[in-house]
Amino acid sequence: MSVDFDHETLGQRVVFKSGHAADNLAAEVGRLRASRVMVIATEFESETATKLSTGFDVALHYSDVAPHVPIAKAKAARVIASEYNIDLLVCIGGGSTTGLAKAIAMTTGLPIVAVPTTYAGSEGTNVWGLTANSRKLTGVDNRVLPVTVIYDAELTLSLPVELSVASGLNALAHCVDSMWAPRADPINQAIASEGIRAISVGLEAVVSDPTGLGGRERALYGAYLSAVAFASAGSGMHHKICHVLGGAYGVPHAQTHATVLPHVLAFNAQHAPDAEIRIATALGAASAVDGLARLYSALRAPSALREYGFDEASIPEAARLILSAIPESNPHAVSIDDLERLLRAVWSGRPVEG
């Protein structure tokens, strides 16, 4: 078997130590010689953001954050950053917060230091996403890649178990999609395999011991690996489905990824035997589908998108929107009937079809 691929590794600094986010953040601000810092965090994370930013001067605390980064909010944040002569963006929170920082960086070139409080993984990619006219637009731009990511598992302790599970499964979806995305190669597949192992073990530990740091550290480490793999491999069938659902119907990001993943895995796995073996092995199972089903059962994971506001009547329209976005590299050809059948299963929460 010949080996033939092109792989690009993104340059980024990662600082990982529980209980030291404030010190590490202050050190990074100093290292970057920033004097006009914009700290972005939701109202929910405002207390955490204040505590983490005591070691340096903050020019602006900003909290106008929304899921899927509506273009109007991105434009408003860019104007504010310019008015305050910001020279560094610090985002503290989940994917929406990181997404807004990326939207600012995309047009201003400002550097980002990301401090994740969930397992979203956006902090490890050069992928941006904006929502306009109920459609999610995504792209790749190295200007949006945070220059530094500061990980501290203590910051995830406030994330309830249910949300930890959904967020972690979102990261797991990055790994699975990286197995057959348009730029999949042996390097990002290897990274994704380790990510699957770390996330699955970590999430089970979080469920059994929500206040323990061990499981949360493992899940956070796996989430970073998932982001690295995803940034290299690109968006596969799973992410194209979720981008349409999130942008057009406003369903929550993490729960959407969690409910869609088992069905996309079942659809693709039998047509991608090498990837299926990697996923199954990482999950410690005889088959990828069975391994994921066991994990979902152990985690009591989300299973039905109808519980998160998706209307069954929207399925035909959603299938049409998704079909044109499916990559040609997908292991199995996809029809409109396939997508409608998959979306009905996702909506209802019925077991996957192998």
Side-chain angles (χ1 to χ4, degrees):
M1 175 180 171
S2 64
V3 178
D4 184 0
F5 64 89
D6 293 316
H7 179 87
E8 183 175 346
T9 299
L10 300 176
Q12 183 180 65
R13 177 174 166 82
V14 175
V15 182
F16 198 121
K17 189 172 184 180
S18 297
H20 288 260
D23 291 341
N24 287 334
L25 178 56
E28 283 303 298
V29 172
R31 187 180 72 86
L32 295 169
R33 298 182 180 179
S35 59
R36 303 287 300 171
V37 182
M38 179 176 179
V39 177
I40 304 170
T42 64
E43 291 288 349
F44 177 77
E45 299 278 13
S46 61
E47 183 177 348
T48 298
T50 299
K51 290 179 179 178
L52 294 183
S53 56
T54 55
F56 56 92
D57 292 332
V58 178
L60 174 66
H61 282 280
Y62 194 82
S63 61
D64 191 11
V65 179
H68 306 296
V69 195
I71 187 67
K73 291 191 180 294
K75 289 179 177 179
R78 291 165 180 167
V79 170
I80 291 290
S82 177
E83 289 177 351
Y84 277 78
N85 295 314
I86 298 302
D87 60 5
L88 177 65
L89 304 170
V90 171
C91 52
I92 301 171
S96 298
T97 307
T98 307
L100 182 62
K102 287 182 171 185
I104 300 170
M106 183 167 59
T107 59
T108 64
L110 289 171
I112 303 170
V113 173
V115 187
T117 61
T118 72
Y119 309 113
S122 176
E123 68 279 356
T125 79
N126 58 352
V127 178
W128 56 265
L130 295 169
T131 303
N133 300 318
S134 297
R135 298 292 182 266
K136 187 163 185 177
L137 310 172
T138 62
V140 175
D141 190 327
N142 285 343
R143 289 178 297 178
V144 309
L145 178 72
V147 296
T148 305
V149 184
I150 295 173
Y151 287 111
D152 183 339
E154 286 190 2
L155 300 180
T156 70
L157 289 172
S158 62
L159 195 65
V161 169
E162 181 180 346
L163 290 179
S164 296
V165 167
S167 181
L169 292 176
N170 174 23
L172 191 71
H174 294 330
C175 295
V176 172
D177 226 20
S178 296
M179 295 292 181
W180 41 58
R183 299 189 304 276
D185 65 45
I187 295 176
N188 50 50
Q189 287 176 330
I191 293 170
S193 295
E194 173 62 11
I196 292 171
R197 275 189 287 270
I199 293 166
S200 58
V201 170
L203 289 182
E204 290 199 66
V206 169
V207 169
S208 63
D209 182 15
T211 62
L213 283 181
R216 292 181 180 273
E217 287 180 338
R218 196 71 180 166
L220 205 53
Y221 157 69
Y224 173 70
L225 294 180
S226 79
V228 173
F230 174 66
S232 175
S235 295
M237 176 179 174
H238 171 89
H239 279 80
K240 297 303 184 182
I241 292 172
C242 293
H243 287 166
V244 168
L245 295 178
Y249 308 104
V251 288
H253 185 81
Q255 290 85 348
T256 300
H257 280 270
T259 56
V260 169
L261 177 59
H263 301 276
V264 173
L265 175 61
F267 184 83
N268 274 345
Q270 59 189 317
H271 303 283
D274 291 342
E276 197 277 338
I277 291 171
R278 285 180 181 269
I279 297 167
T281 301
L283 291 169
S287 81
V289 171
D290 289 346
L292 192 65
R294 186 207 62 77
L295 179 65
Y296 270 53
S297 177
L299 300 179
R300 299 184 292 279
S303 61
L305 203 52
R306 63 181 176 182
E307 297 177 2
Y308 301 100
F310 183 57
D311 188 347
E312 184 180 17
S314 299
I315 289 176
E317 177 191 51
R320 289 194 299 273
L321 294 173
I322 292 165
L323 184 62
S324 62
I326 300 295
E328 293 183 2
S329 61
N330 196 64
H332 184 45
V334 184
S335 70
I336 194 74
D337 289 340
D338 292 329
L339 288 173
E340 287 199 21
R341 186 162 51 249
L342 185 150
L343 290 174
R344 292 190 189 284
V346 171
W347 175 83
S348 67
R350 72 170 179 262
V352 299
E353 298 177 6

